[in-house]
Amino acid sequence: MRFSKAWLVATRDFKVFSKQKNIWYPIIVFPVVISVLFPVVLNFSLSRNGGIPAAVLLELMNSFSLFFIIGAAFIPLSIASYSIVGEKVEKSLEPLLAAPLTDGEILLGKALSALLPTLVAMYAASVVFMFGMDQMSFATLGYYYYPNWTIGTLLLVLLPVAAVLSIMFSIIVSSKVNDVRSATSFGALVFFPFLGIYLASMTHIITLDITTLLIIAGIIFVVDVALFFVSTATFRREEILTKWK
Amino acid sequence: MIDTEGLTKKFGNLIAVDKLTLHVDAGEIFGFLGPNGAGKTTTIRMLCCLISKTSGTATIGGYEIGNKENSLKIRKLIGLVPDNVGLSEHLSAYDNLNFFGKIYDCTEAQRKDSIKRVLEMLGLWEKRHVLAGTYSKGMKQKLAIARALIHDPQILILDEPTANLDPEASKTVRDFILQLKGEKKTIFLNTHNLDEAQRICDRVGIMNTKLRAIGKPQDLEPMASGRKTVIALEQVTDDVVKALKKIALKNLTVEGNTLTFDVFDPDKENWPVVETIVQVGGHVRTVNVVGLDLEDTYLKLVRSSA
Ligand SMILES: Nc1ncnc2c1ncn2[C@@H]1O[C@H](COP(=O)(O)OP(=O)(O)OP(=O)(O)O)[C@@H](O)[C@H]1O
Ligand SMILES: [Mg+2]
């Protein structure tokens, strides 16, 4: 596996994306919504109701941070399904497969082209989010709530494994369908577990402390590994040329 | 350069390529002819190590197919023009080529040189910064050929490069292929265009799951005997008919001012006939050989195997 070759594949994809508005919407809209809109709305309702009890604010902030995980699952979905189904539609995979690259290098390139924009977008959003929330936490709690170890675990451990889960899943889905829209809608299935976690935390079935986050990340990591094997089996030359629809 | 021995590919129960044995010399243009579903694309894909073989062997430039390490080496030797052009439509022609140049480890200087050279040869240099998606079909096909040549491969494999092209664009592509032959490249050309095969190929193979015939186009033509010579005269006089009856012509018929007879080797058999006519005072207007040629051989072989 030569990383330089995978990087070539990824950078070509970036160049293609730069000319595709559709790909940019989720990359930009989602982070803006969670990093700017949510703190602003919260702040607004705070000032109208004369403040929120500290405990409620804490709880809101914690469950809210899960949206970064949902975003990390959402963004790669649209990129990966575009970059693979898009190539299927253009039939541009075959020349690539005929080039001296290994299947793994092409797959890694595709994964990187979905992963990197996601990480950049979500990390940038998280900085804005933490800054905005800190203004409120300082007013309500008397101290800056962020950064802390919990959000650190969430962003640095859970977020990447969730993004990888979504990428692997999109690759597998993309091999079965022929248009970007159905790839994205099938891929949306990947949301349900994360939505489940969000609801569980809202309804106090789980508390999102570091231990819980690490356990969730561990479970997702195991699923990642399993899906990795499925996707490498799906993303083989012979499969792509003879079985993909 | 390309050698196969009993090369076979099955898809489940369907045999797509059956015990293909052929040899293509370095520097030769080999035409691989066959109807739809004959297994031409499947053969190419096996040769480019894109799909596995079921049995048999094949070597490309001395490397045997079917093992991972050789696959990369073989793919480096080959430039493939697949049946679908497969360009990145959102990239310019230049970026399409530049990317593949990088993939094939060409240095920046090599890439610049070779992109300019190939695009100029194909008449696309002026449009190099235009998005490939906006190109016409013919231009896309040329660009796909340019892409296959970017690393200056020894072997060029083309899968029906002139299908969907208008006559003029087809001619440009054919001329270009002939030009590449001048550069000592080995060319494997899939086609169902017989005329094209006849014009540019040194040798052709006729394929329909099995290889039905292989040889020079002109050697394959007589395989289907039954051509006719048609001679049009100013006037068919009794003298002419009498003289012709003396030289034993097969199935001679006279219709108006036209004579028709069976011929096996027109180059040898026609001139004595013309000479005889002229000697008895006939005026020959035209001499034509009609009927069977490569197309008939092809149809005969393909039908007999169906
Ligand atoms: N992935 C596949 N799965 C099952 N059968 C296949 C597959 N690919 C090709 N075939 C079958 O193998 C046979 C040969 O197909 P191939 O594409 O090689 O023909 P071809 O000579 O290239 O035809 P065409 O002129 O239409 O391009 C056909 O009967 C086809 O249906
Ligand atoms: Mg074909």
Side-chain angles (χ1 to χ4, degrees):
Chain A
M1 175 86 81
R2 296 156 301 175
F3 184 79
S4 60
K5 298 290 170 186
W7 185 242
L8 277 177
V9 174
T11 48
R12 182 190 64 158
D13 276 359
F14 293 147
K15 214 165 192 173
V16 172
F17 299 164
S18 69
K19 293 179 180 143
Q20 286 285 299
K21 272 200 213 115
N22 295 353
I23 287 190
W24 285 100
Y25 293 138
I27 300 180
I28 292 170
V29 172
F30 207 92
V32 168
V33 169
I34 44 183
S35 64
V36 180
L37 208 59
F38 281 159
V40 167
V41 169
L42 199 62
N43 207 355
F44 184 69
S45 63
L46 267 181
S47 54
R48 297 257 314 242
N49 303 333
I52 307 184
V56 176
L57 179 65
L58 278 176
E59 201 176 288
L60 274 177
M61 283 196 293
N62 273 342
S63 12
F64 207 76
S65 57
L66 266 178
F67 273 93
F68 287 97
I69 305 306
I70 294 176
F74 179 69
I75 297 175
L77 205 64
S78 67
I79 303 179
S81 41
Y82 182 84
S83 82
I84 294 173
V85 178
E87 293 231 44
K88 257 165 86 168
V89 174
E90 289 180 349
K91 313 260 185 213
S92 51
L93 271 175
E94 187 165 353
L96 199 56
L97 297 173
L101 295 171
T102 65
D103 299 342
E105 286 159 358
I106 300 176
L107 184 61
L108 180 62
K110 289 282 163 198
L112 284 174
S113 76
L115 182 63
L116 294 184
T118 307
L119 293 185
V120 169
M122 294 320 289
Y123 285 155
S126 72
V127 171
V128 177
F129 173 80
M130 288 191 279
F131 184 80
M133 285 305 202
D134 268 348
Q135 308 314 308
M136 271 174 274
S137 71
F138 192 77
T140 313
L141 308 171
Y143 62 94
Y144 291 122
Y145 184 66
Y146 292 123
N148 58 39
W149 287 108
T150 316
I151 192 102
T153 312
L154 184 129
L155 291 175
L156 299 176
V157 183
L158 187 54
L159 190 145
V161 294
V164 169
L165 177 78
S166 168
I167 291 169
M168 296 298 158
F169 194 68
S170 315
I171 289 169
I172 297 164
V173 169
S174 300
S175 71
K176 308 285 178 218
V177 300
N178 262 332
D179 62 303
V180 178
R181 199 168 292 174
S182 35
T184 330
S185 23
F186 263 114
L189 290 174
V190 85
F191 285 144
F192 286 108
F194 297 111
L195 226 53
I197 297 169
Y198 178 72
L199 291 177
S201 84
M202 288 294 276
T203 51
H204 304 286
I205 296 171
I206 53 170
T207 7
L208 290 176
D209 51 18
I210 294 181
T211 324
T212 318
L213 290 176
L214 285 176
I215 292 172
I216 297 172
I219 295 170
I220 295 178
F221 181 75
V222 172
V223 181
D224 277 357
V225 173
L227 286 186
F228 171 77
F229 284 110
V230 180
S231 65
T232 43
T234 312
F235 206 91
R236 283 187 302 125
R237 279 185 170 70
E238 179 130 22
E239 293 280 317
I240 294 173
L241 290 171
T242 64
K243 301 246 172 70
W244 284 26
K245 297 238 162 50
Chain B
M1 205 57 163
I2 302 174
D3 278 286
T4 73
E5 179 75 49
L7 190 63
T8 300
K9 177 71 185 181
K10 290 184 188 168
F11 293 106
N13 286 329
L14 183 134
I15 302 177
V17 175
D18 193 11
K19 301 196 198 72
L20 174 68
T21 298
L22 60 78
H23 167 83
V24 179
D25 273 324
E28 169 175 58
I29 303 187
F30 182 77
F32 204 43
L33 278 166
N36 294 128
K40 304 182 298 291
T41 300
T42 305
T43 304
I44 282 189
R45 286 182 168 175
M46 284 192 282
L47 296 179
C48 296
C49 309
L50 289 173
I51 59 175
S52 61
K53 58 183 185 175
T54 306
S55 60
T57 57
T59 58
I60 316 286
Y63 299 110
E64 188 167 343
I65 66 166
N67 101 24
K68 248 194 178 158
E69 258 168 49
N70 284 355
S71 298
L72 290 187
K73 290 179 186 150
I74 290 173
R75 288 201 204 104
K76 266 201 151 156
L77 285 181
I78 295 180
L80 172 67
V81 183
D83 49 358
N84 288 297
V85 288
L87 300 164
S88 289
E89 309 235 317
H90 297 284
L91 295 182
S92 69
Y94 195 94
D95 286 342
N96 264 285
L97 298 183
N98 200 29
F99 168 69
F100 274 87
K102 287 181 191 165
I103 292 283
Y104 283 96
D105 294 318
C106 304
T107 63
E108 193 176 342
Q110 281 171 337
R111 289 197 307 270
K112 274 192 177 155
D113 267 11
S114 127
I115 294 175
K116 185 156 198 273
R117 193 178 66 93
V118 188
L119 286 184
E120 274 179 348
M121 277 204 275
L122 288 164
L124 294 176
W125 177 246
E126 300 300 321
K127 297 223 172 192
R128 63 189 177 280
H129 295 308
V130 175
L131 291 191
T134 65
Y135 271 24
S136 74
K137 263 187 192 164
M139 290 159 76
K140 283 183 182 167
Q141 188 67 55
K142 287 186 201 168
L143 187 56
I145 298 176
R147 180 188 56 207
L149 290 170
I150 207 68
H151 57 297
D152 199 20
Q154 291 177 33
I155 304 173
L156 182 66
I157 298 187
L158 305 110
D159 200 349
E160 301 185 20
T162 58
N164 307 320
L165 297 191
D166 69 32
E168 188 173 1
S170 304
K171 187 171 180 327
T172 323
V173 168
R174 276 199 299 270
D175 289 347
F176 187 65
I177 293 173
L178 285 171
Q179 197 176 336
L180 293 173
K181 181 184 157 70
E183 295 179 14
K184 298 270 176 297
K185 293 205 190 304
T186 307
I187 295 166
F188 191 101
L189 173 71
N190 262 12
T191 178
H192 37 219
N193 183 336
L194 294 153
D195 183 51
E196 174 171 296
Q198 221 158 355
R199 280 182 207 214
I200 64 175
C201 297
D202 298 312
R203 281 188 319 133
V204 298
I206 296 179
M207 172 83 176
N208 197 3
T209 310
K210 286 181 180 9
L211 187 64
R212 302 291 167 181
I214 185 166
K216 297 196 166 98
Q218 62 270 30
D219 291 344
L220 290 184
E221 285 169 21
M223 283 185 60
S225 57
R227 276 183 290 184
K228 292 183 187 305
T229 298
V230 180
I231 301 180
L233 301 180
E234 208 104 288
Q235 201 184 0
V236 180
T237 57
D238 289 345
D239 290 347
V240 171
V241 178
K242 242 188 255 167
L244 288 179
K245 286 216 165 129
K246 276 186 203 153
I247 47 174
L249 290 176
K250 256 195 184 167
N251 291 327
L252 176 68
T253 56
V254 182
E255 249 187 69
N257 289 325
T258 314
L259 305 166
T260 310
F261 57 90
D262 289 359
V263 67
F264 182 75
D265 187 349
D267 289 351
K268 288 204 181 106
E269 295 167 35
N270 283 350
W271 66 265
V273 180
V274 173
E275 216 159 56
T276 311
I277 296 172
V278 172
Q279 270 167 12
V280 296
H283 293 282
V284 175
R285 273 192 178 158
T286 56
V287 180
N288 283 307
V289 179
V290 296
L292 295 169
D293 53 10
L294 188 58
E295 180 166 0
D296 300 273
T297 316
Y298 170 85
L299 291 175
K300 202 169 160 185
L301 288 168
V302 164
R303 285 189 186 137
S304 69
S305 61

